[in-house]
Amino acid sequence: MEIKNFAWPVTSVDKGDYIAFCNWFDEHRNMLSENQIIIWGAGIRGTEFALFLKQKNFTNILFTDSNRQKWGGYIDEFPIISPDEISNEKARKILISTENSETIEKELETGGYYREQDFFTIKTYLY
């Protein structure tokens, strides 16, 4: 069985995304050291966020995506799981990487997750 790597070949990043990510990372550094991060969105921006985390020596990462064709695949060495496999555990935090995150945010809130406690969205000045 072939395992698919859905990582995008990131050769450059948007400066706004990088600055927004670094600000978020610095603000949440302590939380990150104690939790696994699930990046919601196995696309370009999610791949960027994984690269940014790896640059900061953080590798306790999983991905999830609404596209079921990506489930069971990987972004580099990080597995992509179904959103149904996410549990509201204290040791897991969700980082939404999609630009249009409102639907995912509402779904998480309906499922009992709390914004800026259980899940986070990094917004740049573009959004």
Side-chain angles (χ1 to χ4, degrees):
M1 180 178 173
E2 180 185 342
I3 297 176
K4 293 186 178 182
N5 185 352
F6 290 94
W8 286 79
V10 177
T11 57
S12 66
V13 296
D14 179 79
K15 182 178 179 180
D17 279 351
Y18 186 71
I19 291 169
F21 175 85
C22 289
N23 290 338
W24 176 84
F25 185 89
D26 290 343
E27 184 179 332
H28 297 91
R29 184 181 303 271
N30 292 336
M31 179 269 303
L32 290 167
S33 68
E34 301 168 359
N35 292 280
Q36 181 177 52
I37 295 297
I38 300 173
I39 298 174
W40 192 310
I44 294 171
R45 202 159 183 251
T47 301
E48 284 181 353
F49 286 176
L51 291 173
F52 298 161
L53 286 165
K54 285 170 57 173
Q55 287 176 348
K56 304 277 188 182
N57 296 317
F58 184 87
T59 57
N60 192 4
I61 303 168
L62 285 175
F63 276 85
T64 192
D65 200 278
S66 301
N67 181 347
R68 68 181 336 113
Q69 293 179 331
K70 293 184 179 184
W71 302 346
Y74 286 80
I75 296 291
D76 295 325
E77 68 269 28
F78 307 117
I80 304 169
I81 62 173
S82 158
D84 293 338
E85 294 178 67
I86 298 173
S87 59
N88 199 355
E89 298 177 24
K90 292 183 182 192
R92 285 185 166 175
K93 302 298 179 186
I94 300 166
L95 176 57
I96 301 171
S97 70
T98 61
E99 290 87 355
N100 299 312
S101 60
E102 293 80 18
T103 303
I104 295 167
E105 292 171 6
K106 287 178 185 173
E107 182 179 332
L108 288 169
E109 288 172 337
T110 300
Y113 293 85
Y114 295 95
R115 180 186 313 271
E116 295 301 315
Q117 181 180 332
D118 300 315
F119 71 91
F120 305 86
T121 305
I122 297 175
K123 301 277 187 183
T124 64
Y125 63 91
L126 295 175
Y127 308 108

